[in-house]
Amino acid sequence: MRVRLATAEEVKEVVSSPDLLPMLVEDGFSGDFEPDMNQVWLLFEDDEDIIGIFNFTHITSICFEMHPMIYKKYRLKYARQCMDWAFMFFLETDKNKIIVQIPSDRPELVNFAKHHGFIEEGINRDSVMKEGKIMNIIQLGITKSEIASRKAA
């Protein structure tokens, strides 16, 4: 597996795919996705195939919000490796924390995040509309020291 910074075209291709876009947007989204290239976009590849992309958005001077996006056909094989690479990238930055925000209709993603050391920090109630239903967003976070201690164990 290779990891590199993605181009704007690659980001748009991956995020706009029918496999990923419906999970990423709320009801009412229309139009084209335009990536903000001031954010960090890590592209994961295997041979000539794109596995997925992780987005790191600067939330504060010491915090990233991470959006992992892996094509369905690669999730079982590569999800853990992608998360490990994302953590390695993060440990080399000047940030102290990563947060993820997961809609409440995706408990498997909450469990995946917890398995990788993220701690549930709160619920943003009734804050997203998916398939005509209002639902909560669960926020989880992990600090640099928590990642480092997991790697040392």
Side-chain angles (χ1 to χ4, degrees):
M1 183 169 67
R2 292 180 311 279
V3 181
R4 63 179 174 79
L5 292 176
T7 66
E9 293 78 24
E10 290 167 328
V11 172
K12 193 168 184 173
E13 174 189 336
V14 173
V15 175
S16 297
S17 75
D19 189 32
L20 296 173
L21 189 63
M23 293 187 311
L24 303 173
V25 298
E26 290 186 74
D27 290 358
F29 173 83
S30 63
D32 292 329
F33 172 79
E34 291 298 329
D36 179 350
M37 296 310 290
N38 291 317
Q39 301 172 357
V40 177
W41 298 89
L42 294 182
L43 185 79
F44 297 86
E45 299 173 298
D46 180 23
D47 298 325
E48 298 303 315
D49 292 334
I50 294 174
I51 296 166
I53 200 162
F54 279 34
N55 168 253
F56 290 86
T57 302
H58 302 274
I59 299 299
T60 68
S61 63
I62 62 170
C63 182
F64 275 130
E65 180 176 358
M66 182 175 72
H67 297 272
M69 297 163 260
I70 302 172
Y71 285 118
K72 199 175 290 185
K73 68 181 182 178
Y74 294 118
R75 287 182 193 148
L76 287 177
K77 184 174 182 181
Y78 289 112
R80 287 192 173 128
Q81 284 179 277
C82 290
M83 188 65 82
D84 288 344
W85 273 98
F87 281 165
M88 283 190 291
F89 160 77
F90 170 71
L91 289 172
E92 297 297 319
T93 71
D94 62 351
K95 303 293 188 209
N96 185 59
K97 185 175 184 177
I98 301 172
I99 63 169
V100 293
Q101 297 192 63
I102 303 171
S104 57
D105 69 335
R106 303 299 306 272
E108 72 281 7
L109 296 180
V110 172
N111 290 337
F112 180 79
K114 287 180 177 180
H115 176 78
H116 283 85
F118 284 82
I119 297 168
E120 190 171 323
E121 297 182 330
I123 295 175
N124 189 350
R125 298 178 304 112
D126 295 343
S127 55
V128 68
M129 176 78 74
K130 296 281 232 174
E131 298 178 4
K133 294 181 355 189
I134 296 174
M135 60 185 69
N136 300 335
I137 292 178
I138 300 165
Q139 182 171 307
L140 299 98
I142 190 167
T143 64
K144 192 172 270 190
S145 63
E146 291 165 343
I147 293 170
S149 67
R150 286 178 57 84
K151 295 234 178 264

